[in-house]
Amino acid sequence: MPKYFVFVILIFAFLACEEKPKAPKGLSNVKGEIITHANGFQIDLGGAFPVVTVSNPWPGAEKPLTYAVIPKNKLATITYPKDAYDAVVVTPIENIVVTSTTHIPALESLGALNKLIGFPDTKYVSSMPTRKRISEGKIKELGNNESLNTEMVLEMQPDAIVGFAIDNQNDNYDLLHKSGIPVLFNGDWTEQTPLGKAEWIKFFGVLLDRQHEADSIFKSIETDYNTIKNLAKKATRTPTVMSGALYKDVWYLPAGDSWAAQFLSDANTSYLWAETKGTGSLSLSLETVLEKGKSADFWIAPAQFTSYNALLDANTHYKEFQAYQNKAIHTFSLTTGPTGGLLYYELGPQRPDIILKDLVRIFHPELLPDHVPYFFQPLQ
């Protein structure tokens, strides 16, 4: 199994051990709107400058992180206790470093891709506009997230770094912060609902001084998602669904409170493990999955597998599942960028409406006969 999939499995397993964070009280922005779906951050626009509070930068975080976002034209007239914030960002941001592929769609949607000057592990980036800028040398390769090339970042002197971390052991980020470069942690990956992940575009909206654009983009996604969800309720049948695949001797599949399971519920299916607890993945034996999922109507997201032959080569027991026999397996692993990065993990968190359309088209084709699935494809 490629390193990319191993990392995703570990992240899901890590999340499965965490309790759900309590939903924060939404803080009003200038339009009186609130953060309605995301649990991991808040935006306060009631003071002299915006303050972003990230309450769940990584699972088990002991305290929230607060970031002051101060317009350059107000710096001379504002006094504030600098030690009260974990980072202070001066806008407008002219250049930025981000560290997760999930950050890139937000920059593109907000028309700020030209501000991105560095990224770790650029090989995982799938977006064609971003790949073009990488090939032109406008976005520098910064090593990988676990060992960010701090020397290059210090030389580049970005106005801000949007970091990604699975715990509080972040020595490279600490070094960059102490050198005077603002480091802000984005916890979009810890969200447990599709719309919760998508709402993090507002995090970038504040940093880039494009909050109204971010609000508008999210509202459109939210409206489309709910429209498809309501359409799925009109289906005359509720198919049974299984998911995941074996890694070594363990079958990993979405737990009942997970992001992936929420999609299956909103697509009006009967996910066979919907009643289980946890927000990450379950770790089961082949025998356990076969007993429960043998007669499932559909098999969705079989890990890295892209063909029936590859499944059979890996384990002959896969052919015992009805979904295998009926050619009813669908994967997102066939939809990749030019360097092999998976679009599902890059664009999917910001566009849950497209994912849900794909799933409804698969499970209830009569409801969306004209939709061509984007992320999910039939196994070859």
Side-chain angles (χ1 to χ4, degrees):
M1 179 177 288
K3 175 184 175 183
Y4 192 72
F5 288 97
V6 175
F7 179 71
V8 170
I9 285 174
L10 291 175
I11 289 293
F12 285 163
F14 188 35
L15 281 173
C17 299
E18 298 296 324
E19 295 182 359
K20 289 185 177 181
K22 295 180 180 179
K25 296 178 180 178
L27 295 178
S28 297
N29 66 20
V30 289
K31 287 186 175 182
E33 298 162 345
I34 61 174
I35 302 299
T36 52
H37 295 276
N39 285 329
F41 79 109
Q42 303 176 28
I43 302 171
D44 184 359
L45 298 178
F49 50 83
V51 175
V52 178
T53 300
V54 178
S55 56
N56 202 39
W58 49 78
E62 295 181 356
K63 66 182 184 67
L65 302 176
T66 58
Y67 307 123
V69 184
I70 303 178
K72 186 175 183 179
N73 59 9
K74 290 186 177 182
L75 273 177
T77 60
I78 292 176
T79 57
Y80 59 93
K82 293 184 179 181
D83 58 356
Y85 303 102
D86 294 284
V88 176
V89 178
V90 177
T91 58
I93 289 175
E94 298 300 331
N95 50 67
I96 190 171
V97 166
V98 301
T99 55
S100 170
T101 56
T102 62
H103 304 160
I104 289 174
L107 297 182
E108 292 186 353
S109 297
L110 293 170
L113 183 58
N114 64 321
K115 298 180 184 295
L116 180 60
I117 59 172
F119 187 87
D121 276 330
T122 55
K123 64 185 178 183
Y124 290 125
V125 176
S126 298
S127 155
M128 290 306 296
T130 305
R131 291 233 57 87
K132 182 174 184 294
R133 292 183 66 82
I134 291 170
S135 66
E136 294 170 346
K138 295 176 180 177
I139 299 173
K140 303 296 184 183
E141 169 63 58
L142 299 177
N144 60 66
N145 192 57
E146 293 83 5
S147 56
L148 203 63
N149 189 325
T150 53
E151 290 183 3
M152 283 189 67
V153 178
L154 288 170
E155 184 179 342
M156 296 163 72
Q157 285 293 303
D159 294 331
I161 299 171
V162 177
F164 157 78
I166 62 172
D167 55 36
N168 63 354
Q169 303 300 313
N170 302 295
D171 293 342
N172 287 336
Y173 288 129
D174 291 342
L175 173 63
L176 294 169
H177 173 72
K178 290 175 181 176
S179 74
I181 300 175
V183 177
L184 302 89
F185 287 96
N186 179 301
D188 58 359
W189 66 281
T190 69
E191 294 292 339
Q192 297 155 13
T193 65
L195 289 175
K197 289 180 183 288
E199 197 164 19
W200 278 80
I201 193 173
K202 296 180 181 179
F203 173 93
F204 286 99
V206 172
L207 295 185
L208 298 167
D209 196 25
R210 297 182 183 180
Q211 184 178 339
H212 296 306
E213 293 92 331
D215 288 347
S216 177
I217 291 168
F218 177 72
K219 283 181 180 178
S220 177
I221 292 169
E222 179 186 37
T223 298
D224 287 349
Y225 188 94
N226 288 329
T227 297
I228 300 303
K229 178 180 176 180
N230 290 329
L231 177 65
K233 294 177 181 178
K234 298 179 180 180
T236 56
R237 62 186 293 268
T238 304
T240 53
V241 181
M242 59 176 284
S243 186
L246 287 168
Y247 174 55
K248 296 184 178 178
D249 294 326
V250 180
W251 192 302
Y252 294 97
L253 51 84
D257 298 321
S258 67
W259 180 60
Q262 183 67 57
F263 274 120
L264 296 176
S265 173
D266 291 345
N268 192 8
T269 73
S270 177
Y271 176 49
L272 295 177
W273 286 267
E275 300 304 316
T276 60
K277 301 300 181 182
T279 59
S281 63
L282 302 173
S283 305
L284 305 177
S285 67
L286 169 63
E287 292 76 16
T288 299
V289 177
L290 186 59
E291 179 181 3
K292 193 165 190 174
K294 184 175 183 178
S295 299
D297 297 314
F298 291 93
W299 182 349
I300 201 80
Q304 83 278 16
F305 294 105
T306 58
S307 72
Y308 288 93
N309 286 340
L311 273 173
L312 202 58
D313 289 343
N315 193 307
T316 58
H317 289 291
Y318 285 133
K319 66 181 179 182
E320 299 177 36
F321 291 92
Q322 179 178 295
Y324 182 99
Q325 299 164 10
N326 295 340
K327 297 296 186 286
I329 306 178
H330 296 259
T331 180
F332 54 70
S333 295
L334 285 165
T335 308
T336 63
T339 56
L342 295 180
L343 285 167
Y344 182 82
Y345 291 127
E346 179 174 311
L347 180 60
Q350 187 181 304
R351 294 305 306 270
D353 53 325
I354 299 177
I355 293 177
L356 189 60
K357 283 182 182 179
D358 283 5
L359 295 176
V360 172
R361 178 65 178 83
I362 291 168
F363 302 131
H364 312 292
E366 73 282 0
L367 297 180
L368 287 174
D370 298 325
H371 176 67
V372 179
Y374 181 76
F375 294 108
F376 283 92
Q377 306 294 333
L379 209 66
Q380 295 178 342

